[in-house]
Amino acid sequence: MRVLLSGGAGFIGSHVAERYLAGGWNVVVVDDLSTGRRENVPDGAELVVADLSEPHLDRVLANVAFDLVNHHAAQIDVRASVRDPAHDARLNLIGLLNLLEVARARGMPPVVFASSGGVLYGEADVIPTPETAPKVPISPYGVAKLASEYYLRYYAEVHGLRYVALRYGNVYGPRQNPEGEAGVISIFCNRILEGASLTVFGTGDQERDFVYAGDVAEVNWLASQALASGWDGREERGDPLSVPIGAPAGEEGDAVDPAALNVGTGRAVSVLDLVLALGGVTGRKLERRHDAARPGELLHSTLDASKAARRLGWAPRTPFLEGLDATFRWVSESRGDSR
């Protein structure tokens, strides 16, 4: 099998690339290297440097054969999407559509799409939150993720696409950018190594569902194997569609939900709990300072991933403290520091 993996030079995508290679698949990474790093692309994977949102992507990929598409390339900075919604849409929507049109010209191979849980569900009434919860994105980034799932549904209905949308919790682990907006764990690790205090916005009671990058790579692998074997991501294994394509939203959720799987631990970790855990992992006495709460920040975001367990047999395997330790070690090594 040969997978076309967009964004494979990035944080999550590089872990996914490693899992495909470990499973014996051939991997072609497409990345514009705007935020991804060439050194993240694992040995054995082919790299094509290209911007998915630019025209003529079909020409760039004319000689690239693939049996499945895994789409991780994205503009992921929520604040950047607020500053420039059009730029966010160009990268996240036009990029997806260009890639889907290339795939359609090749006979519409199946697609694994990296979506997001927290930005879709907003401040949910049910915690842990299932896939059927109302979709209330409050940023252009979240709107683009939800629109992407609708575009995938359109290609499924009109062009026969088989796909699955993986709605991630807060992914963390080695290779996450400690300088970026996304990724409080890597940011905190970097601050600890600098000997600086940790900035906590608001009370610190905000809760997140932290899921380790290696576990995320595994669910991508399981979904890809299932799609490659003929599974339609909208179906329960061996059962008819749980919600017909044209069904309106209702108790079963939105019409895009049958093809969506939450990827999280179901465990809520507050920012204050995270600070305490990092203190234990690093063996350091950590200082924190509180700043004003950030407008629009979610207070609670925890995902119910039981559907992924039922459909794919997936469950997170990495204990939180073990994942924290691996992340801290990576940030330390990337800085050339010793613990």
Side-chain angles (χ1 to χ4, degrees), residues 22-337:
W25 284 27
N26 295 316
V27 178
V28 179
V29 168
V30 180
D31 202 299
D32 66 1
L33 301 181
S34 59
T35 56
R37 296 181 170 185
R38 192 180 295 269
E39 57 266 31
N40 283 348
V41 179
D43 292 340
E46 176 186 347
L47 173 62
V48 177
V49 179
D51 181 346
L52 299 182
S53 66
E54 294 295 330
H56 311 305
L57 182 66
D58 54 340
R59 298 178 189 174
V60 176
L61 300 178
N63 297 319
V64 178
F66 51 90
D67 305 297
L68 181 141
V69 175
N70 185 305
H71 185 48
H72 271 75
Q75 190 296 115
I76 63 170
D77 191 324
V78 172
R79 294 178 301 182
S81 78
V82 172
R83 287 193 302 269
D84 192 346
H87 178 70
D88 182 83
R90 183 178 71 83
L91 296 180
N92 289 343
L93 291 179
I94 301 301
L96 170 66
L97 290 172
N98 283 346
L99 189 57
L100 287 174
E101 283 299 294
V102 170
R104 186 167 71 90
R106 309 291 183 87
M108 208 77 260
V111 171
V112 177
F113 175 66
S115 190
S116 176
V119 299
L120 292 193
Y121 304 129
E123 203 67 64
D125 292 330
V126 178
I127 300 291
T129 306
E131 290 83 358
T132 52
K135 315 302 178 289
V136 286
I138 57 173
S139 68
Y141 170 72
V143 171
K145 283 295 185 184
L146 183 55
S148 295
E149 292 196 28
Y150 274 103
Y151 274 120
L152 290 165
R153 172 181 171 270
Y154 156 75
Y155 276 84
E157 183 173 4
V158 175
H159 300 297
L161 172 67
R162 291 182 295 108
Y163 78 96
V164 65
L166 302 176
R167 295 177 180 167
Y168 296 157
N170 286 64
V171 186
Y172 74 101
R175 302 187 205 122
Q176 189 168 33
N177 181 8
E179 306 292 341
E181 184 266 350
V184 63
I185 289 177
S186 59
I187 292 171
F188 276 3
C189 288
N190 200 43
R191 297 284 289 174
I192 291 168
L193 291 163
E194 291 174 343
S197 61
L198 306 182
T199 301
V200 175
F201 295 98
T203 65
D205 294 321
Q206 306 94 313
E207 293 178 332
R208 296 293 181 265
D209 190 336
F210 294 108
V211 58
Y212 190 65
D215 293 328
V216 172
E218 185 66 21
V219 76
N220 275 268
W221 169 246
L222 293 172
S224 298
Q225 285 189 304
L227 288 168
S229 68
W231 176 57
D232 187 325
R234 298 169 292 161
E235 298 176 359
E236 297 287 348
R237 298 286 189 107
D239 293 332
L241 292 178
S242 53
V243 179
I245 283 292
E251 291 184 359
E252 298 90 350
D254 195 279
V256 294
D257 292 338
L261 299 177
N262 283 341
V263 178
T265 67
R267 174 190 175 190
V269 177
S270 74
V271 176
L272 294 181
D273 288 340
L274 171 60
V275 173
L276 291 174
L278 282 169
V281 165
T282 62
R284 306 186 185 199
K285 183 178 180 179
L286 305 182
E287 295 185 4
R288 70 175 193 263
R289 58 178 293 270
H290 285 257
D291 207 339
R294 293 183 288 190
E297 182 175 18
L298 295 178
L299 295 179
H300 306 286
S301 179
T302 309
L303 303 180
D304 177 353
S306 59
K307 186 176 171 185
R310 185 174 69 249
R311 290 195 178 188
L312 297 176
W314 177 83
R317 305 292 185 191
T318 306
F320 185 54
L321 294 182
E322 180 181 315
L324 281 185
D325 183 67
T327 305
F328 184 74
R329 287 178 181 275
W330 180 84
V331 175
S332 177
E333 290 169 2
S334 69
R335 290 171 48 95
D337 294 340

